[in-house]
Amino acid sequence: MNNRCFWGAFAAREPEKSQANFTELLDFFAAGHLSPHICATYPLEKAPEALTSMMKRKVIGKVVLVTGNPNSKQL
């Protein structure tokens, strides 16, 4: 079972608890307790390259698609 199935099933079964968990997660982020590792950024036009990097398991952390940023860091 992948995470998408697990979390999707949980959200369907327990929508109030799922919303509470998501709210708590956003609160942690807003308070600075979480800082996701951004592995690379890609301009939106290079989304296929970003997906390829993820499929080839070159990514450790998050990949961010940006608009209007000429200084993106690519793998």
Side-chain angles (χ1 to χ4, degrees):
M1 176 188 304
N2 62 38
N3 285 339
R4 186 179 62 209
C5 291
F6 175 79
W7 291 114
F10 175 75
R13 234 183 13 259
E14 302 279 351
E16 295 85 15
K17 289 182 182 179
S18 179
Q19 182 62 45
N21 287 344
F22 191 69
T23 299
E24 185 175 19
L25 182 65
L26 291 178
D27 289 345
F28 283 148
F29 184 74
H33 298 300
L34 301 174
S35 55
H37 172 73
I38 297 175
C39 180
T41 60
Y42 289 85
L44 187 57
E45 307 81 51
K46 295 195 175 186
E49 286 181 37
L51 289 170
T52 298
S53 292
M54 291 188 303
M55 288 187 298
K56 290 183 176 182
R57 298 185 175 269
K58 292 183 177 181
V59 173
I60 298 174
K62 303 296 179 191
V63 171
V64 178
L65 297 176
V66 294
T67 58
N69 183 355
N71 300 318
S72 48
K73 173 187 160 195
Q74 299 176 24
L75 294 177

